[in-house]
Amino acid sequence: MDELQRLTGATVDVLKVLFGGTPPLWGLRVIKDSGRPAGTVYPALERLEEAGWVKSWWETDAERSGPRRRYYELTADGVNAAQRAIAKFEARTPSAARRPAGAQS
Amino acid sequence: MIASEFAVGVAALALPSHQRARYREQWNADLRDADEVGLTKGQIVRGATSFAFGSLTRALLRTELRASFSWVQLVVIAALMLMYVYVVFPGDGLLGGQKTVLRDHLDVFSELMNTPFVQLSPVLIVFLSCNRYARELGRRFISSTRTRVRIESYVLAKLIIGCATVFTVFFTWVLLAFAVAFALWPVLGNPSIDPHGYHLTPVTAVTDSFSRVTFSQLLSHGDWTYGLLYAAWVGFSASVYAALGLVLLTWIPMRPLAMAVPFLVFFGETVAAQIFGLPYAALDRSMFPFGMQQQSILVGVAPTAVLALVVGGMWLLTFRRLVTAESLA
């Protein structure tokens, strides 16, 4: 698993949703629960997946026809890394500047 | 296929080829289920577009922007901007107030726009937008760059910079003419304007201008509304010819021919429209409608809009098959 080159507030919000939500979470749910725009969440998930923090897979719901949802989940290593990253980010960021995940932008 | 599905399909084309199918399906599922979580389809489309085109790095666009201009091009742009001097100044022009009698500022604007350059505009468009790409294809520069930069990103950067350049140049050119006619002319004392020569008063000349040429309907919403929207239309039209030149350069091995085609399309279709007695269907009149009876705005934009759709389709096919383009191999 790779270290993230940069840790932004948006990435931390995505991590919080993945960490606190009930897995598996599909991409649209991450967008909604993080309160971040889709244009921020898609790249964040892509970076996290590339770094090995997150894994994704297609849904296997046979009852739903058409395009499949993509589900996301923290990997075992990603859980520990996410905990550290969230703690590190919150320690260095004044509480007033933090935004709770789910806050609308 | 609904518009939002089409939009995310286009966005997916900007991604690396191994990611396209995955994100196309994921975004289509997101579009289908957006209502379920209270998001709009527009949010998904914006997110997909932002993500896909974000894969073009800013650095690549900056590099392209810096490298895309030469002194020759800047001189040509300056000459274009100064073309009005030829029309305006005494001896040959409107400021003399002797040779031409005009109704109002729209007539001044028409005079400034109705130059022989209009027929040659695709040549300048291609020169400004395609020159560097053509040279790089000739030197096989792209083949060696490809190892470091994703080819889709590289070609998309060319398309964006080329279209943005000609949009900016032509938008500015038209807006400058508009500012001369509608802002500078009154300051100069409205030389050459005499509506009484047309049995009009200054007031009736204004209402008459609303129905004079295609797009002048917009004058009823304010002078600058017309000026800005018409300048944007000319800029967009110029971008279409730039996009046509760039896509043809990608596929036609004979680069001079590829660069000539936008002009041939512009000129050939215009001649054909005249032969068939359909002047309003001519591409030159769609871009520069001065001197022709007013048509509805829809009719006015139609020829260029059709061409834009064709060129858009060519680019979609190009991005699907870019890795097979021999010119980039």
Side-chain angles (χ1 to χ4, degrees), chain A residues 27-83:
Chain A
L28 218 49
R29 177 56 63 189
V30 180
I31 293 168
K32 179 68 178 176
D33 290 352
S34 67
R36 295 283 184 174
T40 304
V41 174
Y42 288 133
L45 287 169
E46 172 74 16
R47 277 197 303 275
L48 290 168
E49 193 173 353
E50 271 185 11
W53 292 38
V54 165
K55 61 183 176 184
S56 72
W57 66 96
W58 292 115
E59 70 169 344
T60 52
D61 185 350
E63 289 183 10
R64 192 174 8 246
S65 61
R68 295 163 296 173
R69 291 177 176 179
R70 190 81 178 175
Y71 286 116
Y72 293 90
E73 191 177 59
L74 287 168
T75 61
D77 289 341
V79 171
N80 297 327
Q83 269 182 314

Side-chain angles (χ1 to χ4, degrees), chain B:
Chain B
M1 180 187 286
I2 58 175
S4 51
E5 289 174 4
F6 178 75
V8 298
V10 171
L13 288 175
L15 294 169
S17 51
H18 69 275
Q19 288 185 325
R20 286 178 194 165
R22 168 194 161 167
Y23 277 102
R24 192 180 299 119
E25 181 168 1
Q26 181 175 350
W27 290 333
N28 277 318
D30 288 352
L31 283 173
R32 181 195 59 205
D33 301 331
D35 290 343
E36 200 177 308
V37 292
L39 294 172
T40 65
K41 289 183 168 55
Q43 287 174 289
I44 306 301
V45 170
R46 280 198 299 278
T49 307
S50 165
F51 174 49
F53 290 93
S55 64
L56 264 177
T57 64
R58 287 193 182 90
L60 181 58
L61 280 175
R62 268 202 303 272
T63 304
E64 279 301 307
L65 192 59
R66 271 200 303 269
S68 290
F69 294 101
S70 65
W71 282 108
V72 177
Q73 283 176 308
L74 293 175
V75 167
V76 170
I77 291 171
L80 176 67
M81 298 299 167
L82 292 172
M83 187 188 297
Y84 306 124
V85 174
Y86 165 79
V87 182
V88 169
F89 272 79
D92 196 33
L94 302 180
L95 268 183
Q98 302 294 324
K99 298 178 178 177
T100 313
V101 177
L102 304 172
R103 282 166 285 192
D104 54 14
H105 299 130
L106 179 61
D107 271 3
V108 178
F109 184 49
S110 301
E111 288 288 321
L112 294 174
M113 296 302 299
N114 247 344
T115 64
F117 161 75
V118 164
Q119 296 300 329
L120 296 173
S121 52
V123 175
L124 179 67
I125 291 166
V126 168
F127 175 73
L128 290 175
S129 59
C130 302
N131 213 19
R132 180 177 157 83
Y133 187 47
R135 276 187 284 126
E136 289 179 357
L137 288 174
R139 294 200 308 260
R140 315 296 289 175
F141 174 78
I142 293 168
S143 308
S144 53
T145 307
R146 193 173 180 169
T147 54
R148 289 177 282 118
V149 177
R150 192 157 59 84
I151 194 67
E152 290 90 345
S153 299
Y154 194 85
V155 174
L156 190 57
K158 292 283 180 202
L159 177 64
I160 291 171
I161 297 296
C163 290
T165 300
V166 294
F167 179 92
T168 306
V169 169
F170 277 76
F171 177 84
T172 309
W173 177 62
V174 172
L175 204 61
L176 195 59
F178 181 83
V180 168
F182 282 79
L184 181 62
W185 222 249
V187 176
L188 296 173
N190 290 321
S192 300
I193 290 182
D194 181 13
H196 300 292
Y198 292 84
H199 305 292
L200 295 168
T201 65
V203 175
T204 55
V206 171
T207 49
D208 176 72
S209 69
F210 298 166
S211 57
R212 200 173 300 158
V213 295
T214 309
F215 300 115
S216 75
Q217 299 95 315
L218 296 167
L219 279 167
S220 63
H221 299 286
D223 292 350
W224 285 96
T225 303
Y226 167 64
L228 288 166
L229 287 178
Y230 177 63
W233 169 247
V234 175
F236 169 78
S237 304
S239 303
V240 172
Y241 292 100
L244 178 60
L246 289 164
V247 77
L248 291 171
L249 271 173
T250 306
W251 294 108
I252 298 179
M254 292 173 63
R255 291 186 298 282
L257 174 65
M259 293 172 77
V261 168
F263 171 73
L264 295 175
V265 168
F266 182 81
F267 186 71
E269 195 273 353
T270 296
V271 170
Q274 298 291 349
I275 289 172
F276 288 108
L278 303 167
Y280 51 84
L283 282 168
D284 71 335
R285 294 302 181 182
S286 177
M287 202 169 168
F288 303 105
F290 304 100
M292 192 184 72
Q293 191 179 5
Q294 186 183 66
Q295 307 292 324
S296 73
I297 290 177
L298 199 61
V299 170
V301 303
T304 304
V306 170
L307 181 65
L309 286 174
V310 171
V311 173
M314 290 165 77
W315 268 108
L316 286 180
L317 288 174
T318 295
F319 274 107
R320 280 176 184 274
R321 305 179 61 83
L322 203 53
V323 289
T324 66
E326 289 198 7
S327 61
L328 305 171

